[in-house]
Amino acid sequence: MKNPLYWAMLVGMTVLLMEQGLPVRSQGDSQSDNKVMDNITVRQGETVFLRCAQGDVVTHTAWLNRSSILYAGEDKWSVDPRVSLVTLNQEEFTIKIENVDMTDEGQYVCAVQTSSRPRTTSVHILVQVPPKIINLSGDIVVNEGSNVTLMCQASGKPEPSVSWKLIYSSGDLASEDEYLEIPSISRQRAGTYECTAVNDIDSDVQTVDITVNYAPAVSEGRDVGVTLGQRGELECEADAVPEADFEWYKDDRRILSGVDGMEVVNSGSLSKLMFFNVTDGDYGNYTCVALNKLGTSNTSFLLYVVIEPTSSTLLQGPRAVQDGSGGAMGVHSHTCLLFLVLLPFLLRI
């Protein structure tokens, strides 16, 4: 390497001035000998090019970063593989830094020694970083009425703004802050919550699922009429989280599926009590009970008989019905009908 002692002295002088917050100058006396270029703004992961004009009769030139020399002429001093030489001629001295990161942010100085006097050119690299959510609440399961706090923290440069919202909701549940407070949460507030971190570069989005547990609430039972000997079905529906278990009762006796010609079929929030061949003993009152770890709810049903008229019944006309004394009431009915038919003829006599 050429003149390491000279470069060591130049680095020491440059670092001293930078640490004191003074404009970086070489040994030249003129203000024009020391130039400050506009800041270079680059996004994290991109490549930045550092260019420095040379001029005639340059004896030594180097690019420095804080306390170290990156390149002294065509000799690479930096051990960073991301730093490389692009151009070195009489017009310019350009190096590049690939895959720029936050650690690369800061002041860079191009020091040039000519035959007359030294001069420096400085430039400040600003690294912009897209937002990244670094701390997020996990999915949670709570009981209805609990207080819930969601947290979402993000990094980035410029500093990102953070907001919360409940997805698929037309309500006003939102927050323009890292924290979302939900006091006394209700089942309507269950769902997927979205945290968004935004800055001038990009955005980052992550979600949190909130499950709200609550006790069962069953729909009102609907009475059902069934003809003797036919199939029948009672339906019981319950809204609950977690999903409810179901129990069926006739009067005070619990019904077991597959016993006495009845079967219980459960599917999610719906339970069915099915009768394969309704008998006289099946008619009566039934109760459906829905239960989970937070409570129970029930509703009642009436299974009643339906008598369907047959063609033979219609052709036979009125049937005799026994009264309490055992007499035939049908005979009296026919006698009264005959009297009404003959009454007009009797009045003419």
Side-chain angles (χ1 to χ4, degrees):
M1 293 184 183
K2 299 177 182 179
N3 300 325
L5 180 59
Y6 169 82
W7 290 117
M9 292 175 61
L10 180 59
V11 170
M13 177 189 69
T14 304
V15 170
L16 177 62
L17 292 174
M18 292 170 64
E19 289 178 347
Q20 292 175 349
L22 300 175
V24 177
R25 291 181 172 83
S26 67
Q27 297 171 348
D29 297 326
S30 173
Q31 178 70 25
S32 61
D33 292 333
N34 306 281
K35 297 180 180 179
V36 179
M37 296 190 295
D38 293 336
N39 294 336
I40 298 178
T41 300
V42 61
R43 295 186 179 184
Q44 185 182 44
E46 294 182 342
T47 298
V48 62
F49 291 86
L50 301 178
R51 294 181 175 89
C52 175
Q54 294 297 281
D56 297 334
V57 197
V58 174
T59 59
H60 300 88
T61 185
W63 269 108
L64 304 88
N65 174 20
R66 295 183 286 272
S67 61
S68 61
I69 298 176
L70 301 178
Y71 264 90
E74 61 183 10
D75 296 327
K76 182 177 180 180
W77 287 40
S78 172
V79 296
D80 192 334
R82 299 175 303 130
V83 180
S84 61
L85 177 65
V86 178
T87 303
L88 177 59
N89 53 39
Q90 290 184 347
E91 286 75 33
E92 68 173 286
F93 178 24
T94 302
I95 64 172
K96 69 177 180 180
I97 305 174
E98 298 178 284
N99 194 23
V100 172
D101 204 350
M102 281 297 297
T103 54
D104 300 314
E105 186 171 87
Q107 190 175 47
Y108 290 76
V109 176
C110 175
V112 176
Q113 177 66 51
T114 67
S115 58
S116 57
R117 59 180 177 271
R119 56 183 170 82
T120 61
T121 301
S122 63
V123 62
H124 199 95
I125 292 181
L126 300 175
V127 180
Q128 293 183 327
V129 182
K132 181 177 178 60
I133 295 174
I134 57 176
N135 196 359
L136 182 72
S137 298
D139 296 341
I140 58 175
V141 179
V142 295
N143 294 339
E144 191 170 35
S146 302
N147 296 326
V148 175
T149 300
L150 298 181
M151 178 186 64
C152 179
Q153 295 177 330
S155 63
K157 187 178 180 182
E159 184 178 354
S161 61
V162 177
S163 62
W164 281 99
K165 72 174 181 179
L166 173 58
I167 302 178
Y168 310 125
S169 172
S170 58
D172 58 353
L173 185 59
S175 171
E176 299 295 329
D177 190 65
E178 294 180 348
Y179 295 91
L180 175 63
E181 303 283 348
I182 312 174
S184 189
I185 192 169
S186 64
R187 64 192 70 180
Q188 291 77 21
R189 298 300 193 188
T192 300
Y193 287 76
E194 181 180 86
C195 172
T196 303
V198 179
N199 67 7
D200 296 338
I201 311 304
D202 205 347
S203 63
D204 189 20
V205 178
Q206 294 193 35
T207 59
V208 174
D209 288 326
I210 297 182
T211 301
V212 178
N213 292 332
Y214 52 91
V218 296
S219 303
E220 185 176 355
R222 182 174 61 86
D223 297 341
V224 176
V226 181
T227 302
L228 189 68
Q230 299 298 311
R231 296 174 64 91
E233 183 178 287
L234 300 177
E235 291 188 355
C236 178
E237 188 170 11
D239 179 28
V241 176
E243 285 187 346
D245 295 322
F246 292 92
E247 296 176 357
W248 285 91
Y249 295 84
K250 186 175 190 301
D251 299 325
D252 293 330
R253 180 178 60 86
R254 183 173 178 181
I255 297 171
L256 300 178
S257 183
V259 178
D260 296 333
M262 291 178 283
E263 183 177 2
V264 177
V265 178
N266 297 328
S267 177
S269 62
L270 184 66
S271 179
K272 295 181 180 181
L273 177 60
M274 307 181 70
F275 303 84
F276 300 111
N277 184 3
V278 173
T279 65
D280 287 330
D282 292 329
Y283 296 118
N285 294 311
Y286 290 82
T287 301
C288 169
V289 179
L291 62 160
N292 66 10
K293 62 182 181 180
L294 297 180
T296 63
S297 180
N298 64 79
T299 188
S300 298
F301 302 81
L302 175 64
L303 184 70
Y304 60 89
V305 64
V306 173
I307 300 177
E308 295 184 354
T310 64
S311 57
S312 60
T313 303
L314 294 175
L315 291 174
Q316 289 175 0
R319 294 184 298 174
V321 180
Q322 298 293 326
D323 62 10
S325 62
M329 295 179 63
V331 175
H332 297 300
S333 299
H334 290 321
T335 303
C336 292
L337 180 60
L338 179 62
F339 176 76
L340 291 174
V341 172
L342 296 176
L343 180 61
F345 297 98
L346 294 175
L347 293 175
R348 292 177 183 178
I349 299 175

